[in-house]
Amino acid sequence: MKIQNHTLPKAIRRHSIRLWLATAIAMTATLATLTGCSADNDPEIAAGGDGTSVTFGATIDHREAHGNDKAPTSRAITDGTFDDGDRILVHMDGKRKIFVYRTGQGFVHDGNVSGPGIDTAPAEWKAGETQKEVLAYGPVIVMSFIGNLGNLYQYMAADNQSKDDYYENSDYVYAAQTLHRSSPALTFRHGMARIVVRLRSGGSLKDEDVAGATVLLGNKNLLIVADVDPQTGTLTAHVPTEEGYLPPQTITPHRCADTPTGFVVAYEALLPPQDVSGKPFIRVLLSNGREREYVAESGSLLEGGPEYVYNVTVEADHVTVTISDSDVPWQDGILTTKINGKEFRLIRTAEDLKRFADDVNSGQQNLNALQTADIDLGGIDNWKPIGTMYLSIKRPFTGIYNGNGYTISNLKISNTKKDDALGLFGMTDGDALLTGIHLRNVEIKLPDQTLNLGTLVGWNDGGSTVSLCSAQGIINTSEYRPNVGGLVGINYGTITRCRTDVEITVDRIRLLGQLSADAGGITGVNGSGGLLFACHAIGSVTMKVNTSEGNSIYAGGIVGRNSNSDATIYCCIAEGDVSVTSETEDINIYAGGLVGCHYGHYGGLLNSCYASGTATASTIEAKVGAIVGFMSGGNVDCCYGAGVGGKGTSNCGNTARLICNTNPGTGDILQLMSRSYSAPGTITCYAPDATPAYGIDIYRSASVNSSSFWLAGDGTWPVLDFTRNTLN
């Protein structure tokens, strides 16, 4: 669910309509205004003898709230009650008959109503008959019989639903089930989608500015006529192709009787099921003449039965819309919503994000957030990370941050005082989930001490997961013992389906004693339990050693150092060059197109990956390779290196499944990837048509068939399938 800002175009016109069944069958009765708020449970209808007329009780299911098990009550027949005089059409015994609701009797046959396709003879229970298959729907007040379309029945919602009866008579209910003679009763469902629009003021606007606003749905683009399925009773919006048919309309909604706390006014409307993706959908006309518009996002399919709640914040120059299944209250200026039972803060501005960071760092570590707009952090010169780590004091972020596909641009970090983990997030731990976050134009320049640094996370610990994220920008740091990654500084959790285009420069490195420095296109260090799956790094990695008393430099296109027996890397691509230079020979240098050094003593894996960049080092004793600089135990399998000097790949075991070739032929890399195997790991699965807010599912223990996630690309350089939603 994306939240969008839009500017509103202009006005509407009414159209004339064709004759409907209220005229065609010469019916004079008018449906009464309905009241009540719960299902109408009729007294049980007594079974009749042979030849007696069919009567039946009826209830109406509550309308389903979109994405919510708790179905809020709605109004009119949608309120769950039939009223005396309500008429429905019933398919029974191969005939179509009109039934009318009578208080205390339920539905009884109405032989006084005639019209095309209507049988006026009473419906009866035949000798020995115990049940009847029945399709019933209505009310018939706005139903039409179309003979030239194959005896099709149609239903129509009003384009102007501002009056109570216009709104109420736009509803439609249906039941397709077995009617039992012993206890005759039907349960009806709603066939229309209910749209609820709630307005509140934002920015410089006050409540009174919004209270007088006019709300319209659509702009001559919403279908209000629906075909009735003759087998199931469900509705399908009718796209007019026949001459004289009612064209798409603009809808004037009905004002709700009650407005939830936190909102100024609320409106409701009923529409046939239809896809409104990409259509101007909600229009707000302010009293000062300004108009604002919300265009429905891709995948906005309105189904028959649910209600869809649009919470609209109206500001002077735009509207912000969130779609929710529950009230979205304000708390001290903080806007929240619930997703799958969890409360999320809505992050709309840089101020919202800064406040979220402050609250997490003050001890509310398990807060959740849903970003609802692109955010520019350009006004903050030195970002304070969300979740902190300094010496032995750790206050990690443990909640969910869902970037929802929006961008965060111009993140700047320039000071490391009292921070040992730096990025948009400093430290994550527990079951933290970062998903759908896209960083653009990151600028991290640190001339002093740095321990763990990534554009997104400095230290990703424990069961934390980073999924479906990306980053673009530069990192330029130096000095003492840095662990630097294009996305994550050091990783003990999971990183899946992420991309980076980050130019990394680690300059003037000073190493003392047994210390080391690490840098990689995705993460500097992939530690114990760490998993990288389906990640793609583009930017270069450059490390320069100034002085050293020994120990090591690790640099890789994906990971600088894969450092433990259960640290695993699958299905990754590195495009950038990797370079390490040193002023002294007295240092261990490991540089690889994919991984600088693979320390998998007891089973660590590097599988189904390729690198197209070149790895180089300045010292003679350096361990350099197009795939890995050096391997100490574990397994490197089904990997391809295309960088110059590929034969420098060191100690990699089964070379038959490791290919170093600067000029791969068509299909060569993909063929090698197809030989890769299944292995246990953690993977992100998601519904491709759902937004991250609702479609994410993290499998923490699953069998991943690496070969299944590769696509041919341009033939030479395969690409990763980020839409695949199966594990094997």
Side-chain angles (χ1 to χ4, degrees):
M1 170 198 71
K2 278 195 175 182
I3 291 69
Q4 303 178 22
N5 299 333
H6 302 279
T7 303
L8 188 66
K10 301 200 175 186
I12 66 166
R13 289 183 183 168
R14 299 278 305 272
H15 295 270
S16 60
I17 63 173
R18 55 184 290 119
L19 296 176
W20 293 88
L21 190 59
T23 302
I25 61 178
M27 186 172 70
T28 60
T30 302
L31 296 181
T33 300
L34 303 178
T35 60
C37 58
S38 59
D40 181 17
N41 297 305
D42 282 323
E44 184 173 321
I45 307 297
D50 294 343
T52 58
S53 297
V54 175
T55 61
F56 54 87
T59 59
I60 305 175
D61 278 351
H62 284 302
R63 185 178 299 277
E64 300 174 0
H66 181 57
N68 189 356
D69 293 335
K70 295 181 178 180
T73 57
S74 48
R75 291 169 37 82
I77 286 179
T78 56
D79 205 21
T81 62
F82 287 107
D83 201 21
D84 195 87
D86 289 345
R87 287 175 169 83
I88 59 172
L89 182 65
V90 178
H91 295 234
M92 182 186 299
D93 299 330
K95 305 289 186 180
R96 304 183 187 96
K97 304 175 184 292
I98 299 295
F99 277 66
V100 61
Y101 185 83
R102 298 301 182 197
T103 303
Q105 303 178 56
F107 275 100
V108 299
H109 178 252
D110 187 351
N112 298 318
V113 179
S114 62
I118 303 299
D119 182 63
T120 59
E124 297 179 343
W125 289 108
K126 300 175 183 177
E129 191 176 32
T130 61
Q131 61 187 41
K132 294 178 181 289
E133 298 303 317
V134 171
L135 170 64
Y137 49 84
V140 299
I141 190 78
V142 286
M143 198 179 298
S144 176
F145 178 80
I146 314 296
N148 63 355
L149 294 181
N151 297 332
L152 177 71
Y153 280 91
Q154 295 181 320
Y155 206 83
M156 185 182 73
D159 59 344
N160 183 352
Q161 300 182 22
S162 60
K163 295 183 178 181
D164 291 350
D165 57 344
Y166 293 176
Y167 168 72
E168 294 167 0
N169 293 340
S170 294
D171 202 11
Y172 168 90
V173 293
Y174 66 99
Q177 62 188 85
T178 302
L179 187 67
H180 296 277
R181 184 173 181 175
S182 60
S183 56
L186 298 178
T187 300
F188 287 80
R189 300 182 62 188
H190 299 284
M192 293 282 187
R194 182 174 184 252
I195 311 301
V196 179
V197 179
R198 301 165 174 171
L199 301 186
R200 59 175 155 245
S201 60
S204 61
L205 294 186
K206 299 179 180 179
D207 287 355
E208 52 264 32
D209 299 323
V210 175
T214 298
V215 173
L216 300 172
L217 299 182
N219 190 11
K220 301 180 183 179
N221 57 5
L222 298 181
L223 303 171
I224 64 172
V225 179
D227 300 333
V228 179
D229 188 301
Q231 302 300 319
T232 64
T234 56
L235 297 178
T236 302
H238 187 91
V239 180
T241 58
E242 304 85 0
E243 184 178 355
Y245 249 78
L246 185 71
Q249 298 287 296
T250 302
I251 308 301
T252 304
H254 180 262
R255 184 162 180 169
C256 297
D258 299 311
T259 301
T261 302
F263 297 88
V264 178
V265 64
Y267 292 88
E268 59 194 350
L270 298 166
L271 291 175
Q274 58 191 285
D275 190 353
V276 296
S277 301
K279 294 182 178 181
F281 187 52
I282 299 175
R283 303 170 60 198
V284 181
L285 286 67
L286 298 175
S287 56
N288 61 7
R290 295 183 177 180
E291 303 177 357
R292 302 289 176 258
E293 175 185 86
Y294 164 72
V295 176
E297 65 183 28
S298 177
S300 296
L301 179 64
L302 304 179
E303 299 177 346
E307 77 168 9
Y308 299 81
V309 180
Y310 296 82
N311 302 296
V312 183
T313 302
V314 185
E315 301 188 36
D317 57 352
H318 69 274
V319 294
T320 300
V321 178
T322 65
I323 309 170
S324 73
D325 56 14
S326 60
D327 292 351
V328 181
W330 289 96
Q331 300 175 353
D332 298 327
I334 299 172
L335 189 60
T336 64
T337 190
K338 285 189 176 180
I339 301 173
N340 297 331
K342 292 184 177 183
E343 185 172 89
F344 284 72
R345 285 194 188 182
L346 300 186
I347 308 298
R348 304 150 295 169
T349 65
E351 290 74 20
D352 288 344
L353 187 58
K354 174 85 168 45
R355 180 168 182 172
F356 181 79
D358 291 342
D359 289 344
V360 170
N361 296 337
S362 298
Q364 302 180 62
Q365 297 162 241
N366 63 344
L367 289 176
N368 303 316
L370 175 67
Q371 190 172 326
T372 62
D374 294 332
I375 293 174
D376 188 347
L377 295 179
I380 302 175
D381 292 332
N382 187 45
W383 173 256
K384 179 68 173 179
I386 304 168
T388 60
M389 172 184 175
Y390 183 64
L391 300 176
S392 62
I393 302 173
K394 299 178 180 179
R395 188 166 285 167
F397 175 69
T398 60
I400 300 171
Y401 189 100
N402 189 338
N404 203 23
Y406 289 101
T407 62
I408 298 175
S409 59
N410 299 312
L411 169 69
K412 292 179 288 189
I413 301 177
S414 58
N415 192 330
T416 66
K417 302 300 183 183
K418 296 185 178 181
D419 286 300
D420 289 340
L422 292 170
L424 179 69
F425 293 79
M427 184 179 187
T428 54
D429 201 355
D431 290 326
L433 171 62
L434 309 181
T435 185
I437 305 170
H438 301 291
L439 304 176
R440 297 294 181 265
N441 197 32
V442 177
E443 184 178 284
I444 300 177
K445 295 182 178 181
L446 299 169
D448 54 5
Q449 176 178 325
T450 304
L451 290 183
N452 307 287
L453 171 63
T455 56
L456 184 63
V457 190
W459 187 298
N460 190 48
D461 209 354
S464 301
T465 299
V466 177
S467 178
L468 302 173
C469 295
S470 68
Q472 177 273 323
I474 63 170
I475 295 177
N476 193 329
T477 187
S478 61
E479 301 294 336
Y480 178 75
R481 194 191 174 189
N483 298 316
V484 182
L487 195 70
V488 177
I490 186 168
N491 177 58
Y492 293 98
T494 298
I495 306 173
T496 70
R497 289 174 168 166
C498 293
R499 293 186 173 99
T500 63
D501 184 3
V502 179
E503 298 296 322
I504 299 173
T505 301
V506 187
D507 200 5
R508 304 189 313 279
I509 301 171
R510 297 181 296 123
L511 297 179
L512 303 174
Q514 298 299 307
L515 301 178
S516 62
D518 311 87
I522 299 294
T523 183
V525 178
N526 192 39
S528 178
L531 170 66
L532 271 69
F533 178 81
C535 291
H536 186 174
I538 296 175
S540 63
V541 177
T542 303
M543 303 183 76
K544 299 178 181 180
V545 183
N546 187 25
T547 60
S548 175
E549 297 180 3
N551 226 317
S552 306
I553 300 291
Y554 306 93
I558 293 292
V559 174
R561 177 165 42 116
N562 204 43
S563 68
N564 210 286
S565 61
D566 57 350
T568 54
I569 304 170
Y570 298 97
C571 300
C572 289
I573 302 170
E575 293 188 32
D577 292 334
V578 177
S579 173
V580 182
T581 60
S582 176
E583 295 181 356
T584 175
E585 295 284 335
D586 186 24
I587 189 171
N588 300 312
I589 294 177
Y590 305 91
L594 288 169
V595 178
C597 187
H598 182 65
Y599 278 116
H601 294 287
Y602 302 103
L605 296 174
L606 172 63
N607 177 261
S608 191
C609 302
Y610 78 84
S612 60
T614 296
T616 59
S618 64
T619 66
I620 297 175
E621 298 298 325
K623 305 295 191 298
V624 183
I627 298 173
V628 299
F630 185 77
M631 174 178 169
S632 178
N635 196 322
V636 179
D637 195 26
C638 292
C639 290
Y640 197 106
V644 176
K647 292 184 179 182
T649 298
S650 305
N651 193 33
C652 285
N654 184 2
T655 57
R657 294 163 66 95
L658 302 176
I659 299 177
C660 298
N661 188 344
T662 60
N663 188 29
T666 301
D668 286 354
I669 299 177
L670 186 63
Q671 183 180 19
L672 182 63
M673 300 299 103
S674 69
R675 299 171 66 187
S676 58
Y677 51 83
S678 296
T682 303
I683 183 175
T684 304
C685 290
Y686 66 103
D689 297 329
T691 62
Y694 304 102
I696 290 289
D697 196 3
I698 305 297
Y699 287 73
R700 300 201 177 275
S701 181
S703 180
V704 178
N705 191 343
S706 302
S707 61
S708 301
F709 288 84
W710 288 99
L711 302 175
D714 64 1
T716 301
W717 306 103
V719 297
L720 293 166
D721 184 0
F722 273 54
T723 66
R724 184 175 176 82
N725 201 36
T726 57
L727 297 177
N728 296 302

